[in-house]
């Protein structure tokens, strides 16, 4: 999932390590160790190791300026990746495994599950931004190009397309609107030569479906990933159609936004919301992480229009 530079800068440079993944590689482990070594080398060539939380025998606890985020990667491929916030809420993700392959963890912190699906290795990484990465490695052209990642969301959470190929994970913003508390990054995929392979998401309920568009010129293996974060307010609040209409008519829906009549540079919040109403869309704002009151200029600079045609149901 993407995290703003300001949030990255706020992360502490030290991480507390604890949790529940499989042991690190043992020297001279035979064929199984060789497969794991190869799987790790392929994945870490694609991702690098600079943003991976250090290796552990369980998960990683990251301290941020807005609380503790705990990332746990599973001991086997049929387990679930978990990112938990300091309030106890968590977003989990199931891997697209066909068999319950045991995981092995590299020194850098990548856990691999070799041959967990047909012609496919799986892997997980805790990342230093307080997030988790799930990776699929298509080993050859016979590997499936579509993979399904079932999401476990807290009660009341939903997904809203961010317009850039990813999704915000949102919760109620205290009476009106929905605030993004997590994010699923737009997907990426790379072939063996480091060339980008086209890939995209769609939603099937709460299942994230990733399609990787391989072709005759694709060099295998291909590595692709969903990456997500949870528990860190990312700074976007979404309003539904009825709330957008109230703003368009000059009404206030929450105390932490300036009055809709506020105008900067010839634009007003009410005017932006009016355009959204006229085009059957909704309005969104960038906000301070703590939902502190915004100045008119900040609210206007961060405002925008979004719709409900990309798999989310909040603009209704």
């Amino acid at each position: 999932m993407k995290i703003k530079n300001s949030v990255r800068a706020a992360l502490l440079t030290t991480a507390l390590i604890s949790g529940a993944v499989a042991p690190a590689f043992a020297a001279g482990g035979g064929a199984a160790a060789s497969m794991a070594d190869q799987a790790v080398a392929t994945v870490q060539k694609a991702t690098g190791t600079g943003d991976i939380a250090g290796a552990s025998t369980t998960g990683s606890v990251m301290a941020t300026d807005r609380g503790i985020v705990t990332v746990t990667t599973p001991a086997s491929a049929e387990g679930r990746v978990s990112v938990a916030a300091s309030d106890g809420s968590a977003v989990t993700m199931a891997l697209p495994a066909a068999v319950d392959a045991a995981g092995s963890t590299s020194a850098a912190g990548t856990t691999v599950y070799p041959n967990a699906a047909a012609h496919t290795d799986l892997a997980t990484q805790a990342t230093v931004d307080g997030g988790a990465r799930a990776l699929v490695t298509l080993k050859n052209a016979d590997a499936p190009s579509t993979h399904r990642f079932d999401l476990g969301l807290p009660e009341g959470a939903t997904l809203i397309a961010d317009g850039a190929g990813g999704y915000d994970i949102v919760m109620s913003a205290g009476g009106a609107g929905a605030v993004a508390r997590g994010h699923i990054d737009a997907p990426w995929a790379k072939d063996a030569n480091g060339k980008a392979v086209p890939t995209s998401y769609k939603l099937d309920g709460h299942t994230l479906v990733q399609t990787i568009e391989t072709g005759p010129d694709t060099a295998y293996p291909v590595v692709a990933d969903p990456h997500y974060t949870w528990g860190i307010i990312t700074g976007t609040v979404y309003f539904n159609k009825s709330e957008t209409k109230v703003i368009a008519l000059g009404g206030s829906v929450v105390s932490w936004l300036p009055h809709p009549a506020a105008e900067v540079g010839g634009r007003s919040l009410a005017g932006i919301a009016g355009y959204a109403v006229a085009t059957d869309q909704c309005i969104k704002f960038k906000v301070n992480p703590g939902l502190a009151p915004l100045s008119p200029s900040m609210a206007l600079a961060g405002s925008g229009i979004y719709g409900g045609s990309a798999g989310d149901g909040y603009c209704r």
Side-chain angles (χ1 to χ4, degrees):
M1 282 141 232
K2 70 187 173 187
I3 288 287
K4 302 297 181 185
N5 289 336
S6 60
V7 175
R8 285 199 176 100
L11 293 170
L12 300 183
T13 57
T14 57
L16 307 175
I17 303 300
S18 65
V21 290
F25 298 110
S34 178
M35 286 192 300
D37 286 339
Q38 184 174 1
V40 164
T42 299
V43 167
Q44 292 183 174
K45 177 183 175 182
T47 65
T49 59
D51 70 341
I52 304 174
S56 70
T57 55
T58 51
S60 300
V61 181
M62 266 73 73
T64 78
D65 64 341
R66 284 181 291 283
I68 300 296
V69 175
T70 304
V71 181
T72 305
T73 56
S76 63
E78 289 187 354
R80 299 181 74 94
V81 182
S82 173
V83 179
S86 56
D87 64 2
S89 65
V91 172
T92 66
M93 176 182 285
L95 303 175
V99 296
D100 195 20
S104 296
T105 304
S106 74
T110 299
T111 301
V112 293
Y113 315 91
N115 297 317
H119 307 283
T120 303
D121 295 335
L122 301 179
T124 55
Q125 296 170 341
T127 55
V128 296
D129 57 7
R133 186 179 284 132
L135 300 120
V136 294
T137 298
L138 314 186
K139 299 167 77 170
N140 53 53
D142 293 325
S145 58
T146 297
H147 296 271
R148 299 172 64 87
F149 301 85
D150 179 66
L151 298 171
L153 301 177
E155 184 176 356
T158 190
L159 300 173
I160 297 179
D162 67 359
Y167 294 90
D168 278 331
I169 310 170
V170 303
M171 297 282 287
S172 171
V179 63
R181 291 192 59 205
H183 189 77
I184 301 172
D185 289 354
W188 59 261
K190 296 178 183 177
D191 74 3
N193 297 324
K195 180 180 178 181
V197 178
T199 183
S200 61
Y201 291 144
K202 68 176 182 180
L203 281 181
D204 181 6
H206 285 168
T207 298
L208 190 69
V209 183
Q210 182 174 12
T211 299
I212 305 160
E213 299 177 28
T214 57
D217 297 327
T218 301
Y220 290 89
V222 172
V223 178
D225 94 315
H227 176 267
Y228 76 99
T229 58
W230 173 250
I232 302 171
I233 294 175
T234 60
T236 302
V237 172
Y238 296 85
F239 295 97
N240 62 25
K241 288 182 178 178
S242 63
E243 293 161 346
T244 298
K245 187 175 292 186
V246 170
I247 296 170
L249 295 173
S252 296
V253 292
V254 283
S255 61
W256 40 264
L257 283 176
H259 194 278
E263 186 170 310
V264 176
R267 301 173 72 225
S268 69
L269 299 177
I272 298 168
Y275 176 79
V277 171
T279 55
D280 197 33
Q281 298 184 88
C282 299
I283 194 168
K284 62 182 179 180
F285 294 98
K286 287 291 184 182
V287 300
N288 291 316
L291 300 183
L294 288 174
S295 69
S297 60
M298 288 179 64
L300 285 163
S303 64
I305 307 297
Y306 80 102
S309 61
D312 69 87
Y314 194 74
C315 184
R316 59 186 185 274

